[in-house]
Amino acid sequence: MIQIPFLDLHLINARYREELITAVTSVIDSGWYIQGQQVKAFEQEFGEYCGAKHCVGVANGLDALILVLRAWKELGKLEEGDEVIVPANTYIASILAITENGLKPVLIEPDENTYNLCPDNMARVITARTKAVLAVHLYGQLAPMPEIMALAEQHNLLVLEDSAQAHGANSKDKKAGNWGHASGFSFYPGKNLGALGDAGAITTNDDALAEALRALGNYGSHQKYRNIYQGVNSRLDEMQAAMLRVKLSHLDADTAHRRKIASLYRERITNPCVLLPQVTEQSSHVWHLFVVRTVYRDQLQRYLSEQGIQTLIHYPIPPHKQQAYPQLADRHLPLTEKIHDEALSLPISPVMSMEDVAQVCEAINRFRPAAVPETFS
């Protein structure tokens, strides 16, 4: 029986039940349900929160990434077959966005300590065909954006941030969504800023890109029945925008609670079988996930389940080993595969109690694997 859930979405949203009902009621009563005032207000508020000039609401996080790359193709900045550098240990959505646009993903090993994109590895694979880099802020920690942007400028590369797990992550007074030339966000319900359904957004400081994006996500049209692109239907709807506005106002407080939990985990988990996450800069991490590594991952997960503690695996199979990508199967990526074999996500959420945190720490410290323990150097 689960005593400590990985993520209690019911309880998370119950805190704002009255505010959410008021927001939804205002949309119902308005009689306007697509591309109305709630979407415009959320785009302005979230854009300002990220520090970006433009925010374009879309249907989901995958569409956000797909549409940016598509817009760059329409604007003549990318063309079929161009290479896009991406960390190999990301969620498959990052790769899907690249291949959906007829571009070539160039998978590289991540930084062994942060699991984010490694600038040194990035530099080694840049060729004449390299035109962009997809910088994934994995688990809620910003990728090393100053170094990435410097390399990108040196080689005239476009930088797209995958900020699906990094709402509010901040470094050098600049948030996720305001580092690259564009950024894609997901508001999937389990995200730090989660809708009550699918939703996404793109942020950018590029006027031409924002204009192209608004058309592409609306059937390729700025004006009804006049289509300048072969677009798609990918729009943030009024209902989700209204609820996201409510939850955005509480995001920083939720992030502070996540950081408190992460700090306690890092302080109190002392089992030598478990490798804790490393942090390059405290303010850069918003702890969407608290991911530990252990060679005894499956044993530890079963043990914690027996203690009533729910954990998840992000992600059990790396993209290059997925059936969907046979063309990537021959890639030699031992670190990525090791991470995917050993990663285990502990419960962390804005409604998790400190008592539950203590219980998780104590349970992990009591864990003894069946085989001779290994420690990480």
Side-chain angles (χ1 to χ4, degrees):
M1 180 178 177
I2 296 174
Q3 298 171 355
I4 302 176
F6 180 78
L7 190 67
D8 189 336
L9 289 177
H10 171 77
L11 190 56
I12 286 172
N13 291 313
R15 299 174 299 162
Y16 315 128
R17 178 180 175 83
E18 295 308 315
E19 290 179 80
L20 292 169
I21 289 173
T22 299
V24 168
T25 301
S26 71
V27 175
I28 294 171
D29 291 346
S30 74
W32 194 302
Y33 309 119
I34 299 290
Q35 292 188 316
Q37 293 305 311
Q38 292 291 341
V39 170
K40 290 178 182 177
F42 175 74
E43 288 178 338
Q44 180 176 344
E45 290 161 8
F46 190 67
E48 290 174 354
Y49 179 82
C50 295
K53 185 176 180 181
H54 301 282
C55 174
V56 180
V58 295
N60 55 69
L62 176 57
D63 280 4
L65 299 178
I66 289 174
L67 286 170
V68 171
L69 295 172
R70 168 73 188 282
W72 280 336
K73 288 178 69 178
E74 295 288 355
L75 294 170
K77 296 186 176 185
L78 291 175
E79 61 183 36
E80 202 96 355
D82 282 346
E83 295 177 353
V84 181
I85 296 171
V86 61
N89 61 312
T90 185
Y91 181 54
I92 198 169
S94 307
I95 315 299
L96 290 170
I98 297 169
T99 57
E100 178 69 16
N101 280 286
L103 304 169
K104 180 182 177 182
V106 178
L107 308 181
I108 63 171
E109 295 275 48
D111 181 285
E112 188 168 9
N113 297 317
T114 66
Y115 314 132
N116 270 328
L117 193 148
C118 174
D120 289 342
N121 291 344
M122 172 183 161
R124 292 188 188 100
V125 299
I126 294 174
T127 71
R129 291 296 294 173
T130 307
K131 300 299 180 183
V133 57
L134 185 48
V136 183
H137 305 314
L138 199 63
Y139 306 150
Q141 179 165 219
L142 280 178
M145 294 308 297
E147 294 89 343
I148 292 169
M149 295 307 296
L151 263 175
E153 184 174 355
Q154 180 182 347
H155 295 278
N156 195 30
L157 305 180
L158 296 163
V159 177
L160 172 55
E161 297 174 71
D162 183 340
S163 300
Q165 300 183 359
H167 313 77
N170 184 70
S171 178
K172 303 184 188 303
D173 296 322
K174 189 181 287 191
K175 283 190 172 77
N178 195 29
W179 278 97
H181 300 104
S183 178
F185 286 88
S186 167
F187 304 122
Y188 182 78
K191 302 298 185 185
N192 290 27
L193 178 58
L196 275 73
D198 272 321
I202 299 158
T203 56
T204 184
N205 293 310
D206 184 330
D207 295 346
L209 177 62
E211 184 177 9
L213 288 166
R214 290 197 182 281
L216 281 169
N218 187 41
Y219 299 98
S221 172
H222 288 300
Q223 183 180 350
K224 197 169 185 178
Y225 304 130
R226 294 182 180 273
N227 303 78
I228 56 178
Y229 302 116
Q230 296 177 28
V232 298
N233 178 2
S234 182
R235 301 178 297 209
L236 176 63
D237 72 61
E238 283 288 282
M239 202 73 78
Q240 297 301 337
M243 291 186 284
L244 283 167
R245 292 183 68 198
V246 170
K247 298 186 73 174
L248 178 59
S249 68
H250 300 283
L251 178 57
D252 287 345
D254 284 355
T255 298
H257 191 80
R258 288 176 177 272
R259 286 175 172 157
K260 185 176 181 180
I261 293 170
S263 179
L264 289 173
Y265 275 155
R266 296 178 71 227
E267 175 188 325
R268 296 183 183 180
I269 295 175
T270 57
N271 192 321
C273 297
V274 176
L275 179 66
L276 297 171
Q278 297 191 31
V279 180
T280 55
E281 187 179 349
Q282 291 291 342
S283 65
S284 78
H285 212 316
V286 294
W287 298 104
H288 172 60
L289 299 173
F290 190 96
V291 179
V292 300
R293 280 175 53 201
T294 174
V295 294
Y296 306 109
R297 194 261 307 281
D298 294 343
Q299 286 188 50
L300 178 58
Q301 186 174 42
R302 284 194 300 270
Y303 164 79
L304 291 175
S305 179
E306 291 166 359
Q307 308 299 309
I309 299 167
Q310 184 183 31
T311 58
L312 296 180
I313 297 173
H314 296 87
Y315 306 96
I317 305 173
H320 72 286
K321 293 296 183 182
Q322 296 284 357
Q323 184 177 346
Y325 285 111
Q327 70 271 33
L328 302 177
D330 63 347
R331 301 299 191 273
H332 181 64
L333 298 161
L335 175 58
T336 290
E337 291 171 20
K338 184 177 178 65
I339 291 169
H340 283 259
D341 286 342
E342 297 177 355
L344 185 67
S345 300
L346 304 184
I348 187 168
S349 83
V351 295
M352 188 177 182
S353 71
M354 296 304 110
E355 291 75 18
D356 285 348
V357 175
Q359 187 175 333
V360 173
C361 295
E362 290 165 6
I364 291 175
N365 290 339
R366 290 194 305 267
F367 170 70
R368 296 295 180 267
V372 177
E374 292 187 27
T375 56
F376 292 86
S377 58

